[in-house]
Amino acid sequence: MPKLPLSRFTVLDLTRVRSGPAAVRQLGDWGANVIKIEEPGDMPDDKPGGSAQFADYQNTHRNKRSITINLKHPKGKALFMEMVKQADVVIENYRPNVKFKLGIDYESLRKVNPRIILASVSGFGQDGPYKDRPGLDQIAQGIGGIMSVTGEPGRGPMRAGIPVADLTSGLFCAIGTLVALLEREESGEGQWVQSSLLQAQVWMMDFQIMRWLMNKEIPGQSGNDHPTSSPTGVYTTSDGYINIAAMGTEMYVRLANVLGLPELIDDPRFKTLQLRAKNRPELNAAINARTKQENTEFWIDLLNKEGVPCGPIKNVQQTMEDPQVVHLGMAKKLQHPKLGEISVVGQPVIMSRSKREVFVAAPDRGEHNKEVFAEFGISAARIEELAREGAI
C-alpha cells in the first residue's frame, strides 16, 4: 500500500460510541497509525459500539489496531504515559472530568511530551454550566435548534434522521487536530483541541441561526419546503416523488416553461421571490397538479435537460446502487477474518495523488497487544507481567 499523508503520525484512540470515533476515522482513513486503547475483558453485545460483528462497529473502527490498557491500574497508566511520549495525538470523548480523575488531562500529558496534542469531544464543552451533563446526539439536537426547524409545521419537534451532532463534532475535532499538527510544525508544541456536540450543532444551523442573529427572526418548521425559497421542495409524480429546487426568478421561469405552465410566470401571486414564498401553498398545489401526471424519470430527464435542479428521493439501498454514488466509490470493500468480504462507507474526499486502496477491518479487543507494545519497546516478559497484574 502506498504511503498515505498521515502515516507519520501516531494516534492513541480513547474514544467510544460515535463522536470521538468519527474524528479518529478521518485520521485513520488517511493513514495515521491509530491505536485503539480499550479496557481489558469482553464488552457485552448490548453496550454501545459492542461486538465487532456489528455493521456499525466495522464502519466506525476500521483502519486501526486494538490494545488493552487498564488506565485505573497504576502500571496501566504508567504504560499509557510511556506510549504518550512517542505519540503525536491522543483523542478522547469522556465526560470532561474523567480525564482529570485518571490523570491523563492535557497538562499531565504535556509534562511527558510537550509536543502531544490532546483532542477532546464532549457533549457541551469542557467548561461552563452544562459541562458535567451527559451529552447525547438527540439532546444536542434539541438544545442546538435543529429539532425546531425539522419536520412539518404543527407536528411538534422532529430529530434529524442521522446523528448529525455526533458526526459533525467528530469532523470538527479532526479538523482541529490537523490544524494543531500544522501549527506544531512552527511552534514545536502541542495543544488541547476541543469540540462538542452542542458547538457542532449550532454551527450546522448556519443560515437558520443567522436569521436570528441578524434579523431577530425565529425560524419555524417548513417540512420538505425550503425555509425561504419557493418553489423548492418535494412534489408528487405518478409513481412517487421528486425534489425540485427552482431558486431565483430565472430558474422559476425555466421550471414553469418545462412544466407547460407559462401562466405561472405572470401570475401576480408569484411574481417575486417574496410573493412565491408567501403564497407557497397555492404555488405547490399548481406544480403538484402537473407533476403527478407523469412519472419521476420523465420529469428528471426533462428538467435536467433544461438545467432545473431536481432529483429522485431514494432509500439507502437505492442510494448505494445509484450509478453516480458507485462511480464516486462511496462503498469500500474490505476483508474481515470472520465475516469475509464486507463493505463500509468510503471517504467523501478525493485527492489526485493520495489514495487509500485497501481498508482494514475493525479489530477485536486487544488483538494487537503483543505487536503494538513491542513497537513501543515493551518486552514480552513485561507484557506477560502486566497481563497477570490486570494492567492490560
Side-chain angles (χ1 to χ4, degrees):
M1 186 170 66
K3 194 171 184 179
L4 289 165
L6 301 183
S7 60
R8 66 188 185 276
F9 299 118
T10 293
V11 177
L12 304 183
D13 173 18
L14 297 174
T15 68
R16 53 216 171 112
V17 191
R18 191 171 307 280
S19 61
V24 176
R25 181 172 58 184
Q26 291 304 106
L27 306 181
D29 280 3
W30 291 111
N33 174 28
V34 176
I35 301 167
K36 179 174 171 58
I37 299 174
E38 304 182 80
E39 295 179 12
D42 297 326
M43 177 178 281
D45 288 347
D46 61 352
K47 292 287 183 68
S51 171
Q53 307 304 313
F54 290 152
D56 184 37
Y57 186 88
Q58 288 301 320
N59 186 54
T60 302
H61 295 288
R62 78 275 187 109
N63 297 327
K64 60 178 71 172
R65 295 180 291 171
S66 172
I67 64 173
T68 56
I69 298 180
N70 182 358
L71 293 174
K72 296 177 182 177
H73 192 291
K75 291 188 177 180
K77 179 186 169 184
L79 176 62
F80 174 73
M81 286 301 194
E82 288 182 47
M83 298 180 72
V84 168
K85 289 179 184 178
Q86 303 177 54
D88 297 284
V89 178
V90 175
I91 302 186
E92 59 87 19
N93 62 335
Y94 299 130
R95 287 197 200 181
N97 66 334
V98 171
K99 56 185 158 291
F100 292 95
K101 289 181 178 179
L102 292 172
I104 57 171
D105 54 279
Y106 176 63
E107 290 301 322
S108 298
L109 299 183
R110 73 185 295 266
K111 286 178 181 177
V112 301
N113 182 358
R115 291 174 57 82
I116 198 71
I117 291 162
L118 173 63
S120 299
V121 187
S122 61
F124 305 104
Q126 296 296 316
D127 45 36
Y130 296 173
K131 72 179 180 69
D132 293 324
R133 292 186 181 184
L136 295 171
D137 178 84
Q138 187 159 338
I139 309 304
Q141 286 194 32
I143 299 175
I146 192 172
M147 292 179 69
S148 72
V149 298
T150 302
E152 298 175 345
R155 293 284 298 274
M158 183 71 65
R159 67 181 290 274
I162 59 169
V164 61
D166 273 342
L167 295 174
T168 53
S169 62
L171 285 174
F172 294 137
C173 180
I175 292 170
T177 300
L178 294 173
V179 171
L181 287 168
L182 286 171
E183 192 277 339
R184 192 179 71 176
E185 293 179 1
E186 292 191 354
S187 69
E189 296 184 20
Q191 56 185 305
W192 187 10
V193 175
Q194 304 172 28
S195 186
S196 71
L197 276 65
L198 182 57
Q199 288 167 283
Q201 185 61 82
V202 171
W203 191 94
M204 289 292 289
M205 287 294 288
D206 198 61
F207 79 97
Q208 295 282 45
I209 287 284
M210 288 306 299
R211 292 170 71 182
W212 164 252
L213 290 177
M214 290 292 292
N215 306 319
K216 302 308 176 196
E217 175 186 359
I218 298 178
Q221 295 165 297
S222 54
N224 287 321
D225 292 318
H226 189 277
T228 60
S229 175
S230 181
T232 298
V234 175
Y235 299 91
T236 306
T237 66
S238 64
D239 64 349
Y241 301 93
I242 185 175
N243 271 316
I244 299 174
M247 294 184 174
T249 298
E250 179 185 350
M251 198 62 69
Y252 173 66
V253 170
R254 282 195 208 177
L255 173 63
N257 286 325
V258 171
L259 294 176
L261 300 173
E263 65 273 15
L264 294 181
I265 298 171
D266 294 320
D267 190 310
R269 297 172 297 172
F270 314 135
K271 284 291 287 182
T272 67
L273 179 66
Q274 291 77 16
L275 286 170
R276 289 193 291 276
K278 178 182 178 182
N279 298 305
R280 187 197 308 270
E282 295 92 332
L283 181 55
N284 280 348
I287 294 173
N288 268 311
R290 178 71 181 103
T291 55
K292 69 182 181 181
Q293 295 174 9
E294 305 288 350
N295 65 33
T296 300
E297 185 177 356
F298 172 88
W299 287 121
I300 288 174
D301 289 343
L302 195 58
L303 290 165
N304 274 316
K305 286 177 183 176
E306 298 302 321
V308 178
C310 66
I313 299 171
K314 299 189 172 188
N315 62 35
V316 292
Q317 177 183 348
Q318 294 166 334
T319 294
M320 296 312 294
E321 292 173 352
D322 181 278
Q324 186 65 25
V325 174
V326 172
H327 171 78
L328 292 170
M330 288 308 297
K332 290 293 184 184
K333 295 185 184 299
L334 58 82
Q335 286 294 324
H336 189 278
K338 298 175 183 175
L339 302 176
E341 185 178 85
I342 62 174
S343 294
V344 295
V345 181
Q347 269 290 326
V349 176
I350 296 172
M351 295 191 184
S352 60
R353 289 187 295 104
S354 300
K355 302 179 188 298
R356 178 159 201 152
E357 302 296 343
V358 179
F359 275 42
V360 180
D364 288 335
R365 180 187 295 260
E367 179 181 342
H368 302 97
N369 271 7
K370 291 183 179 179
E371 174 184 315
V372 170
F373 288 138
E375 291 173 8
F376 279 81
I378 311 301
S379 68
R382 186 178 170 199
I383 292 172
E384 291 181 7
E385 178 187 346
L386 290 168
R388 284 196 304 270
E389 295 184 10
I392 64 173

